Amino acid sequence: MNMLQQFASHTPLWVWALLIFLITRGIAAMKPGEITLGRLAVVPALFTAWGLWSISARYGTSWQAWALWLAGIGAGAGIGWMMLRRATLTADRATGKLWRSADYSLLPLLLVTFAVKYGFESALAMSPTLAGNVGFRAAYLLLSGGFTGIFIGKYLRYLAAFRRTATGDDLQVSG
């Protein structure tokens, strides 16, 4: 219990604000409705920015680190794209909004992503030498990229659905 209190007390307030924001986004996604592409871009942009900042600060210009992270993004993007294959997505040209069915995967995905990133960042804060451990480094970069990629893939599916509908292609049943 003391260790949990240590983690909580040494965690910056912005991390807790981020967690609250992610939870509210996940809960909101459980209801079908209209949303703009800009709002849908917030989560992938947030995790991309967090990843860019973390990797730049820790690994600088190491092409191996960036390659692992990008490989994770590629794999994750494919998973994210497939996660919405049965979603109902239609665009309203007049409002510029996308109607999407309820997404029950977002909240658990956000919580797991946050927990994994928080765990890796906490471990690195407690033991910075882990950044040089090959296994830890690969797991950190691939998982960080993979989770970021899932959100990017989901966003790309939403974007594709919006573009198809906006150009006149009927996209009533699936993304």
Side-chain angles (χ1 to χ4, degrees), residues 14-170:
W14 70 265
V15 174
W16 299 121
L18 174 62
L19 178 59
I20 291 167
F21 170 76
L22 295 174
I23 290 170
T24 60
R25 289 303 286 258
I27 291 170
M30 291 181 184
K31 298 177 209 141
E34 286 187 332
I35 190 165
T36 64
L37 288 174
R39 286 200 69 196
L40 287 168
V42 170
V43 169
L46 192 128
F47 281 110
T48 300
W50 190 2
L52 290 169
W53 173 79
S54 296
I55 295 166
S56 294
R58 214 160 262 117
Y59 299 107
T61 59
S62 166
W63 70 267
Q64 295 98 339
W66 290 101
L68 284 171
W69 188 65
L70 290 172
I73 286 178
I79 293 167
W81 180 273
M82 294 305 296
M83 288 177 79
L84 293 177
R85 71 185 176 281
R86 292 195 175 123
T88 302
L89 308 168
T90 56
D92 183 339
R93 293 178 205 169
T95 64
K97 292 183 178 181
L98 179 74
W99 188 92
R100 52 139 188 89
S101 54
D103 183 355
Y104 296 105
S105 69
L106 188 61
L107 181 59
L109 184 59
L110 288 169
L111 293 175
V112 168
T113 302
F114 180 87
V116 168
K117 287 196 64 72
Y118 182 84
F120 275 113
E121 295 295 339
S122 296
L124 286 162
M126 290 173 38
S127 181
T129 58
L130 283 173
N133 178 291
V134 174
F136 184 92
R137 178 179 173 160
Y140 168 70
L141 294 166
L142 288 170
L143 286 171
S144 175
F147 282 115
T148 299
I150 290 172
F151 297 113
I152 290 171
K154 289 177 85 169
Y155 179 77
L156 291 174
R157 176 71 90 160
Y158 287 128
L159 182 61
F162 186 84
R163 286 191 174 163
R164 265 189 244 140
T165 305
T167 60
D169 296 338
D170 189 16

